Amino acid sequence: MRFTRRRLNRTLLLRQHLLTRVDRTPAQMVEHLVGLQAQESMPPYLSLAARLTDFDPLVVSTALEQRTMARILSLRDTVHLHLPADALTLPVWAAPVRDRELRMSQTIGTAREVDQERFAAAVRTVLADGPLPQRTLSAGLAEHFPAYTPAQLGQVARVMQVLVQLPPRGCWKPEASTAVAYDFAERWLGAPLGTPDVPDLVRRYLRAFGPATAADVTTWSGITRLVPVLKAMDDLVRHEGPDGKPLYDVEGAPVAEEDTPAPVRLLGTYDNVWLSHAGRDRVTEPERRNTWMGVSGAQSNALFADGWLEGLWKVVDGRVVVGEVLRPLSKRERAELDEEVARVEALLAR
């Protein structure tokens, strides 16, 4: 099949459950999406609210407290909200991404030169009695490596070790600023680290984000040299993209029609739909993305209309404030926006 850009847009939104909300649990959606980017606390909740027919944010908070979900550095060297099985395997697979950060981070600086075996032993010693706040962990490591600052050593620990961010970080307290505390993922989740089945992981990606190129899978994960992996998967089907390049897909995965309606959705700053393809033109024009992107990251939440980025919004005192709208909305779209604003404000009031 040859995909036009519009068919790719609609198919992505279909597989992301952004065309029609679905009756699933938060855990089922987190698993389907292979995690939710979560370096900020609010976006995962907005992502789930945009996709689920009935969403109680306290379910996610409870899952974090009961250790059936976890916040951990994984794909793209970014904190994600995962189920335990992914929290224990994806960071191991993504270790090369963290290695790149270790080599390149200005924050870490010369602390990257620490002996890794000695450092790992020091982290085990400092965390021997249980989880610690980041500042306490960093100060404890500075006693072992006095040549470096606690801040540097805390960043090295975050990158070198597989550590879970503990609740209440990430819980449903949008007005609260909670300090980060860490524990070993194995201890917190009660199971050993492992490695994922990479072909199965690629299939999961395609079910949620496909069809896609090997470059798309690399953008989503941060892992390079995936062309041989996809080429060796003889169960995948191939489509043709708008540029004539091959797109890989899972056999039987749903494909949307070009004229499928795409309702207004209010998405968070770092929703998965933004960050999982080499070409983000599936959901926006380059100049529109520049409107959303600031110097140091996303500067606002995204308003989608008819499947594309068409505006920005933010939360002020528990209310949705729609800022710049990049084109006039139709009467139907304005009505849909009103419905979405009411949904998000009801969520914020919980």
Side-chain angles (χ1 to χ4, degrees), residues 8 91 116 122 136 154 165 248 266-267 282 319 344:
L8 280 176
Q116 294 196 10
T136 307
Q165 288 190 358
Y248 295 92
L266 296 176
L267 303 180
R282 291 200 186 194
R319 303 299 299 271
V344 172

Side-chain angles (χ1 to χ4, degrees), residues 72 87-89 91-92 98 161-163 184-186 189 191-195:
I72 196 164
L88 290 163
T89 56
V92 177
R98 299 199 306 279
Q161 302 294 306
V162 181
L163 302 175
F184 293 113
E186 294 172 286
L189 296 173
L193 299 177
T195 54

Side-chain angles (χ1 to χ4, degrees), residues 43 49 87 139 172 174:
W172 184 242

Side-chain angles (χ1 to χ4, degrees), residues 168-220:
R169 183 76 167 188
C171 286
W172 184 242
K173 295 179 181 179
E175 302 300 327
S177 177
T178 306
V180 180
Y182 287 112
D183 196 7
F184 293 113
E186 294 172 286
R187 183 167 64 193
W188 182 255
L189 296 173
L193 299 177
T195 54
D197 180 315
V198 176
D200 183 61
L201 189 58
V202 169
R203 294 184 193 99
R204 290 177 63 193
Y205 167 78
L206 293 173
R207 290 188 192 104
F209 297 95
T213 65
D216 292 328
V217 187
T218 288
T219 297
W220 165 73

Side-chain angles (χ1 to χ4, degrees), residues 114-153:
V114 297
D115 180 271
Q116 294 196 10
E117 289 188 8
R118 281 188 59 221
F119 189 82
V123 175
R124 288 194 296 271
T125 298
V126 175
L127 288 177
D129 294 330
L132 292 173
Q134 183 176 19
R135 286 187 178 182
T136 307
L137 169 63
S138 301
L141 292 171
E143 295 179 6
H144 293 262
F145 298 92
Y148 308 107
T149 68
Q152 287 177 309
L153 295 168

